[in-house]
Amino acid sequence: MFHIYCPHCAEYREEEEFHAAGQAHIARPLDPEACSDKEWGEYMFFRKNPRGIHHELWVHAAGCRKFFNMTRDTQSYEIKEVYKIGEKPSVVAE
Amino acid sequence: MSDLNVMTAAEMAATKAAVMDQVPGPEIQGQSPLHHADLDSLAKVGPKQGGVHLREHKLLGHLTLRLNPENDDQLAAAERVLGVALPLQPLTSVENGSYSVRWMSPDEWLILVPGLEAFDVESKFRDEMGGHYSLVNSSGGSTVLELSGPDVVELLKRCTPIDLHPKLFPVGKVVSTVFAKSSAIIRRTGEQRFELVIRRSFSDYIWLWLQETSREFGLVVKV
């Protein structure tokens, strides 16, 4: 079980209150019409599956229902940091 | 977001939502989601001693307010309507007489008012508030249970993962969390008194759950 700090509620809560919503920082192509099938397909379907530092989107589903980002080590399961949408992560993979 | 809040009076009037009094007058008897449980009769014939006391505050007006917390005009308008400023600190609540306001998320508050006043309060918001905001009357969607008694914390520990120690959960704190297999908005209203806002569709489940869970302490139903 994770013990997750919600940056909006400003306290730690149990994992069962949260849902993971996949990889964070996926930029939507500025001009979708001009995308090739490959570019659009990669934006829609292809996700990272790193061993180590991973930036994820989570939602505090049972609490404030706000989304936030989390940097997590997929190998040790350690949560490195949480940060709000629009903020930059301070922990990044080398 | 900010430029949405700069509007002329005519634009503001044009944005007013159609408001409708959803609650019939006092001449029609309302039924709470726990009407079938007949808590009034249980309070008369049930046990008078026990570690957990349950009371339903039925048919209150539930209003969900969403606005931009950085917009001072909107905050001031809300204060004019409610007589008290919206709590901006996470997980806090304020009360003003029969009105109570709960912080739900950085831009959302749950306001409880007496059932027959809900429409008045809603109309006042429409008159006072300008710009981009949302006010939804969700009275029919939930009901309020008050749990108290010497064993109430022990009972709640069996229902939710929230830490209820008074240091971490002082009087006035409000959390929205998982409760049994459902969810609830839990607010501490006294050292040994809590208020639960629960979903209408889960009210029967939670009523059955509370009876089962409180068996070892003894459940006293009150009116």
Side-chain angles (χ1 to χ4, degrees):
Chain A
M1 286 289 285
F2 285 130
H3 204 207
I4 299 172
Y5 184 84
C6 172
H8 300 287
C9 293
E11 72 172 19
Y12 283 90
R13 295 288 184 85
E14 293 292 327
E15 184 188 345
E16 60 183 307
E17 291 191 12
F18 299 85
H19 286 307
Q23 183 187 329
H25 308 299
I26 301 171
R28 183 182 167 89
L30 289 173
D31 186 4
E33 299 291 332
C35 279
S36 66
D37 284 354
K38 183 169 188 291
E39 283 167 342
W40 186 250
E42 280 177 2
Y43 160 70
M44 287 292 278
F45 304 114
F46 285 77
R47 298 291 177 258
K48 285 183 187 151
N49 183 19
R51 180 178 181 191
I53 298 290
H54 190 216
H55 303 289
E56 296 171 333
L57 191 63
W58 283 70
V59 56
H60 194 183
C64 60
R65 305 196 300 281
K66 292 281 179 206
F67 284 81
F68 59 93
N69 296 318
M70 178 192 293
T71 307
R72 192 172 66 87
D73 190 322
T74 57
Q75 209 173 354
S76 66
Y77 275 56
E78 186 193 351
I79 296 171
K80 300 290 189 187
E81 65 169 339
V82 293
Y83 52 101
K84 292 180 185 172
I85 301 288
E87 292 176 357
K88 289 242 186 316
S90 63
V91 182
V92 289
E94 285 156 18
Chain B
M1 184 178 251
S2 59
D3 53 342
L4 282 170
N5 289 308
V6 183
M7 292 175 137
T8 66
E11 281 172 330
M12 268 166 56
T15 62
K16 288 225 168 103
V19 277
M20 186 183 76
D21 193 353
Q22 300 169 23
V23 185
E27 68 282 0
I28 295 178
Q29 193 210 348
Q31 293 187 349
S32 91
L34 286 175
H35 179 77
H36 64 286
D38 198 8
L39 298 179
D40 291 355
S41 305
L42 282 179
K44 278 187 205 117
V45 298
K48 301 281 181 274
Q49 298 285 322
V52 178
H53 303 178
L54 172 83
R55 175 183 283 127
E56 187 193 7
H57 294 292
K58 57 186 174 187
L59 305 176
L60 293 177
H62 300 233
L63 299 170
T64 298
L65 174 66
R66 300 198 65 179
L67 52 76
N68 176 10
E70 278 153 28
N71 185 326
D72 292 334
D73 292 345
Q74 290 188 333
L75 291 179
E79 188 171 353
R80 282 199 299 279
V81 175
L82 299 168
V84 62
L86 293 176
L88 295 178
Q89 282 299 314
L91 310 177
T92 55
S93 65
V94 294
E95 276 186 44
N96 178 30
S98 55
Y99 296 176
S100 51
V101 189
R102 291 146 199 75
W103 183 98
M104 298 305 299
S105 97
D107 55 6
E108 181 180 338
W109 292 266
L110 175 66
I111 303 163
L112 257 56
V113 301
L116 295 174
E117 287 179 38
F119 183 61
D120 294 343
V121 176
E122 205 183 334
S123 311
K124 264 191 228 162
F125 267 111
R126 303 289 177 204
D127 292 339
E128 294 281 346
M129 185 118 22
H132 189 62
Y133 75 101
S134 148
L135 180 72
V136 178
N137 184 336
S138 56
S139 307
S142 38
T143 190
V144 180
L145 298 180
E146 183 193 295
L147 288 169
S148 55
D151 291 320
V152 67
V153 173
E154 285 301 313
L155 169 78
L156 290 174
K157 279 182 191 170
R158 285 150 173 75
C159 308
T160 167
I162 292 289
D163 193 339
L164 298 160
H165 192 280
K167 256 190 202 160
L168 292 168
F169 206 109
V171 174
K173 180 167 172 174
V174 54
V175 298
S176 173
T177 183
V178 287
F179 189 91
K181 301 266 182 207
S182 172
S183 63
I185 299 160
I186 307 174
R187 175 168 162 253
R188 193 175 207 141
T189 51
E191 204 62 34
Q192 292 184 325
R193 196 166 72 240
F194 291 84
E195 171 210 79
L196 263 56
V197 182
I198 56 169
R199 296 272 180 192
R200 174 182 199 96
S201 50
F202 281 102
S203 58
D204 181 56
Y205 164 73
I206 286 179
W207 159 237
L208 295 174
W209 169 277
L210 287 174
Q211 288 176 86
E212 182 72 26
T213 314
S214 62
R215 190 172 284 172
E216 62 186 291
F217 310 116
L219 181 67
V220 185
V221 178
K222 300 200 159 188
V223 256

